[in-house]
Amino acid sequence: MSLCAVSANSFAQEAAPAGQGDAMLAGIGLAYVPEYAGADKSRLLPLPFLEKTFSNGVFLSTHRGIGYGTSLGDFKVSAALGYDIGRADHKEDYFSGSDALKGMGKIKGSAITLLSVGYQLGSVGLSLSTKQNLGHREYGNTYTLGMETPIYTTASDQFGFDASAEYADRKHMQTYFGVTPTQSMGSGYRVYTPKAGFSNVSASVNWTHVIDSKWMVRSAVGVSRMAGDAADSPLTQRKTTPVLMTAAIYKF
């Protein structure tokens, strides 16, 4: 789920909207992301993607979950069920966890609901989305404001800009950025009780290069900045991190 901020939007906008026939996309690429939100270290991860979109608006996606989306004039709405893999409290292998979280305890994986509404204002797309935790309500929820717009387009290439700001409720902030007295004893971090507020802002430039009617390459270069009480957390070792992604996508 940590890749969703960059990859989900990058891939999803290539899918066919409701009423325009079935479509299927498959992609494979690489993403360079922090070990966890606020981590000092980053790693290069494989980025597989598969999405089936049906003409009635139903979609099955490895990044967007299982859900439904449709357009109502300039408005777009979608609802989906997904899964958040949580967070390990140590480095399990190259692909997951971080030793900087030793003693913090594991955040378990959980089913989530992904809801979003968007509005097209000329060439600018605006969106409001939320991730609601179903399996562990005590983990809290997040709300994200986003925008995207094309900045340069040719017959085979499109460059765009997108930005987002994530707001986290008190439970989510405590789960991912807080330190309880018990966790403090196990990890050595000072006790910290964050309040609800904006936890992250990000911006990126994306590039889509169309090779032919079936193949395209999608890339994004961005930066992510911790904000509010999340930035002041003792777990946050690096407030600003680069986020890089590139992938080859095939349309069936």
Side-chain angles (χ1 to χ4, degrees):
M1 298 298 297
S2 63
L3 304 183
C4 285
V6 174
S7 58
N9 290 335
S10 298
F11 288 128
Q13 56 186 277
E14 304 298 341
Q20 294 190 15
D22 295 355
M24 188 168 180
L25 303 175
I28 184 67
L30 294 171
Y32 184 72
V33 293
E35 290 185 341
Y36 65 91
D40 182 49
K41 298 179 180 179
S42 296
R43 56 189 165 210
L44 192 65
L45 295 177
L47 186 63
F49 171 79
L50 184 65
E51 178 164 303
K52 174 68 174 180
T53 305
F54 298 91
S55 59
N56 61 4
V58 173
F59 58 83
L60 308 173
S61 172
T62 54
H63 284 69
R64 293 201 293 161
I66 301 173
Y68 173 80
T70 189
S71 297
L72 304 170
D74 290 329
F75 286 92
K76 295 180 180 180
V77 294
S78 68
L81 290 175
Y83 187 77
D84 191 318
I85 63 173
R87 190 181 72 184
D89 61 354
H90 63 282
K91 192 166 186 177
E92 297 179 327
D93 49 46
Y94 173 79
F95 301 99
S96 64
S98 172
D99 285 339
L101 297 172
K102 285 183 177 180
M104 287 298 299
K106 182 178 181 179
I107 300 174
K108 297 179 181 179
S110 176
I112 58 173
T113 300
L114 302 161
L115 307 173
S116 71
V117 58
Y119 181 72
Q120 193 66 34
L121 185 64
S123 62
V124 179
L126 305 175
S127 65
L128 172 63
S129 61
T130 178
K131 183 172 70 174
Q132 300 282 317
N133 205 302
L134 298 178
H136 289 274
R137 297 297 299 170
E138 71 275 14
Y139 288 175
N141 311 306
T142 61
Y143 306 84
T144 302
L145 293 168
M147 66 81 65
E148 60 182 10
T149 184
I151 53 179
Y152 181 73
T153 303
T154 68
S156 60
D157 297 277
Q158 178 173 302
F159 293 86
F161 172 81
D162 57 78
S164 65
E166 180 184 82
Y167 180 92
D169 64 17
R170 180 184 57 80
K171 291 182 179 180
H172 184 89
M173 291 287 275
Q174 181 62 46
T175 299
Y176 284 89
F177 302 104
V179 182
T180 66
T182 300
Q183 290 173 325
S184 178
M185 291 180 63
S187 66
Y189 293 115
R190 61 183 171 86
V191 175
Y192 185 69
T193 305
K195 300 183 297 294
F198 284 98
S199 59
N200 177 277
V201 293
S202 63
S204 67
V205 174
N206 57 72
W207 170 42
T208 300
H209 175 65
V210 178
I211 299 174
D212 55 33
S213 61
K214 296 293 185 180
W215 285 97
M216 71 181 70
V217 176
R218 182 82 176 175
S219 302
V221 178
V223 63
S224 177
R225 172 76 179 181
M226 307 300 294
D229 282 7
D232 295 332
S233 169
L235 300 179
T236 299
Q237 301 173 340
R238 188 178 183 186
K239 296 182 180 181
T240 303
T241 56
V243 180
L244 311 174
M245 182 275 291
T246 187
I249 304 170
Y250 182 79
K251 287 186 176 182
F252 290 88

